Amino acid sequence: MAKFDFLSDTQKPWHYMDVEQVLTALESSVEGLSYVNARQRLRHLGANKLPRSRPIGKVLLQPLINPLTYLLLGSAVYLQWNGAEGWVLISVGVLHSAIGICISVWSIKTKEKVSRDRPQRRQNEPSSSVVVFRDREEMEVPSRDLVLGDLLVLREGDRPNVDLRVLETSEDLQVNQTNLGGEAICFKRADLTFEEKTPPLECSNMIYAGTEISAGSAKGIVIATSRYTQEQSALIKDKPFSVIHSELRQLRQVWIGLLLLVTTTAIGFAWQRGITINAMTAAALIVSTYPQNLLRIATQVQLFGMRDLAKQRIWTRFPSVLDAIARVTTIVPIVESDVVLSFDNLSRAGIEWQGLIRASEEDAVAFSEVIGIETHSYFDAPQEKIRQWKDDQQKTRQKSLNAVAVIGNDIEDIPLLRAADVGICDRTCRKELQDSSGLILPKDDFHYLPIAILEGRATFDRLQRTALLTATSSFTLAVLTLMDTAAGFSMPPLQIIWVGAIATPIVAFPLILEPTHGSLLTQPAYRFQTMLRSSNYLRILLSVTATITAISVVFWLKYQGQASMFSQARSMAFVTLGFSQVFHACAIARHSILSNLPLMLSIFFIAICQLAFVQVPWFGDLMSTVPLNGIEWAIAILSATAVFWVQELIKTG
């Protein structure tokens, strides 16, 4: 068998080398490989198969490759060895790991379903068979049999799954690179070379996997296959997150910073008072307040939004498009002078219409007076107009994330679609235009846009309310732990774990399953720009203050410094804390509780558990509670409604 050690170095700067150097490096020729040599290379290199994007096995192994898993396990073993409830930490860790795996698998299945519904799905798939030169003759072979050094023939409509160094092109060759983030119309030439550090998509002597031959034909030498292609390398290196994911990551950093601050302060109080802080309490606080699976939930909610839009034949190419469409404040259709326009008035949603017309500026002004929206000439620096609209929006509200959407219908509109935050077209447009758009409508009808905007806002709103509920619970537990330490008390660790790690996620989950509420389209746009705004911080502060005040009043009115009443006071405070999460979820739910079956079931489950934890002796010993009478239960539950009334006052305000 021939030795193919020279094929091990596939990261050479092929765009920097001329044709002869490429052929020499791969020990190939302009006549292609021999059949025997190609088969030998195939056995040596393996089949040209793309790796699965995210196999189920990899998802199942995620908890095992996470360092936090072993940190939690080590802490639990240490605490259990010292007589604490370390088994609870392991149980909670296993529970949240299982939930995370289920959400990840759910996301994979949802994404597959959405992909099956996308327009021109089959045209977007790589060619299953290709034409190569073997033994100086053209022959058709399966694409999985391509090897380094093969001479591949590409014609219009082909979508290679290998990277090529161009050897020969027709005069009309055009390559669509939009799937890789490039231009829709790219021209290629074989006689060019580029500097080594030239970005891949700017190398016009290369054709990459994932692109499409829009016109003409070409011959190229295969220089990368399988997972070594530029397309796969980009997927591995670049893991783009939406704005929501970015903000949730920032929020998680704030959580971690708060935990460190509270733990340090609690240790300081304990040291000053000459007491030893309960290690189990600290571990319970960390487990209960760390935002488990929040990013996975965000991905799944976005996929839900894509699925719901797909049911109405509106297709979003990426989950991040839902972020952008929710932030849209300006919609810019590109129109002809003889078009008849019909669009919805979205001023109540904080969205304005602008227009670009394929006519002179004088005609644009006249057109504006007829249709009632500001219109400018398509030929008068349109990209500068888009930037100006973005800048104007930012001047009115600093640090905002307003977005501009452009609706195109011609191949010449591609640069404007790419310059906008959201490029929009319909299914009747050319494929190059669809590949450059983030949102594809069923037909040329602007009345579909409110549907897409509403779904984008609903996706943002679901995640925002879930994050607010989770953040409020975490901050409440952190402040209560700090207050207990300062007062010389110790909050039972299992109570912290129940409220933060179990009860709060149970009542938060139904919020992401709520149907889209039509009132979101009548709310101002700034509410859907970012989660990290001052009004949300104020909501969290008021909710935490109301909950802690209610718990403190219940505890101290019952306790009053009498040691004999301490257990009853702590049990009442536990009931108030648990039911506060329920009333908070009820207050921020968009739909009536009676019409939200998942929320009703979660409330019923938490109420039964709270009753058992307090009234059943075995659970009482575990949770450090004592039975309460009817009046004490009524006082504790009524006090828990404080956060509900605060949220209602915020709504009316």
Side-chain angles (χ1 to χ4, degrees), residues 413-465:
D413 302 336
I414 289 178
L416 299 184
L417 296 182
R418 298 179 65 82
D421 297 285
V422 185
I424 304 174
C425 70
D426 62 81
R427 297 195 184 202
T428 62
C429 296
R430 289 182 54 176
K431 186 178 183 304
E432 291 84 358
L433 201 67
Q434 295 187 33
D435 288 341
S436 300
S437 302
L439 185 70
I440 302 176
L441 306 179
K443 56 184 179 180
D444 187 9
D445 188 345
F446 295 160
H447 295 294
Y448 284 100
L449 285 176
I451 299 175
I453 294 172
L454 178 60
E455 189 60 46
R457 289 187 169 191
T459 299
F460 179 89
D461 182 65
R462 293 182 187 111
L463 290 174
Q464 180 174 244
R465 288 181 290 120

Side-chain angles (χ1 to χ4, degrees), residues 296 333 436 556 648:
R296 293 188 180 94
S436 300
W556 286 106
E648 290 298 314

Side-chain angles (χ1 to χ4, degrees), residues 63-83:
L64 299 180
I65 61 177
N66 189 343
L68 295 178
T69 300
Y70 300 98
L71 179 62
L72 176 64
L73 183 62
S75 301
V77 171
Y78 170 79
L79 292 170
Q80 188 68 35
W81 181 266
N82 287 273

Side-chain angles (χ1 to χ4, degrees), residues 595-608:
S595 62
N596 192 334
L597 181 60
L599 183 58
M600 289 181 61
L601 293 177
S602 65
I603 293 174
F604 179 75
F605 176 77
I606 291 175
I608 293 299

Side-chain angles (χ1 to χ4, degrees), residues 346-366:
L346 300 176
S347 58
R348 292 186 62 189
I351 300 173
E352 64 176 355
W353 290 84
Q354 301 279 355
L356 290 174
I357 186 172
R358 302 182 203 275
S360 64
E361 188 64 30
E362 292 78 8
D363 292 339
V365 173

Side-chain angles (χ1 to χ4, degrees), residues 237-397:
K237 294 178 182 179
D238 301 330
K239 297 183 178 180
F241 285 93
S242 63
V243 174
I244 290 180
H245 284 84
S246 178
E247 292 187 348
L248 290 177
R249 283 174 173 267
Q250 295 180 46
L251 195 58
R252 186 170 63 179
Q253 293 174 356
V254 173
W255 257 308
I256 294 175
L258 176 68
L259 286 175
L260 294 176
L261 176 63
V262 170
T263 303
T264 304
T265 307
I267 292 175
F269 277 129
W271 177 79
Q272 184 180 14
R273 299 176 66 90
I275 60 176
T276 303
I277 189 171
N278 190 335
M280 181 62 194
T281 301
L285 180 64
I286 293 174
V287 170
S288 303
T289 56
Y290 185 79
Q292 303 284 348
N293 298 314
L294 203 54
L295 293 177
R296 293 188 180 94
I297 292 174
T299 300
Q300 181 60 34
V301 172
Q302 289 178 332
L303 290 172
F304 279 159
M306 294 177 65
R307 180 200 62 187
D308 293 342
L309 286 178
K311 291 179 180 179
Q312 304 181 69
R313 301 182 66 244
I314 302 175
W315 185 58
T316 50
R317 294 191 67 208
F318 311 106
S320 57
V321 174
L322 286 172
D323 281 354
I325 200 68
R327 296 185 284 107
V328 162
T329 53
T330 305
I331 303 177
V332 186
I334 302 174
V335 299
E336 307 291 342
S337 57
D338 58 348
V339 72
V340 178
L341 288 181
S342 176
F343 50 85
D344 297 88
N345 184 0
L346 300 176
S347 58
R348 292 186 62 189
I351 300 173
E352 64 176 355
W353 290 84
Q354 301 279 355
L356 290 174
I357 186 172
R358 302 182 203 275
S360 64
E361 188 64 30
E362 292 78 8
D363 292 339
V365 173
F367 191 77
S368 301
E369 297 176 354
V370 173
I371 65 173
I373 65 172
E374 183 179 348
T375 307
H376 300 272
S377 173
Y378 177 85
F379 306 109
D380 186 16
Q383 291 184 332
E384 186 63 32
K385 290 290 184 184
I386 294 176
R387 285 191 290 268
Q388 180 181 347
W389 287 323
K390 292 182 181 179
D391 294 340
D392 289 343
Q393 292 289 346
Q394 290 175 357
K395 289 177 183 177
T396 59
R397 192 176 296 111

Side-chain angles (χ1 to χ4, degrees), residues 491-511:
M491 191 171 179
L494 295 190
Q495 293 186 11
I496 299 176
I497 291 176
W498 160 251
V499 173
I502 300 177
T504 300
I506 287 176
V507 294
F509 186 73
L511 299 179

Side-chain angles (χ1 to χ4, degrees), residues 554-574:
V554 167
F555 178 82
W556 286 106
L557 287 180
K558 188 67 176 179
Y559 178 50
Q560 295 183 353
Q562 302 179 28
S564 60
M565 304 301 295
F566 177 76
S567 296
Q568 286 88 345
R570 186 165 65 179
S571 299
M572 291 179 66
F574 172 59

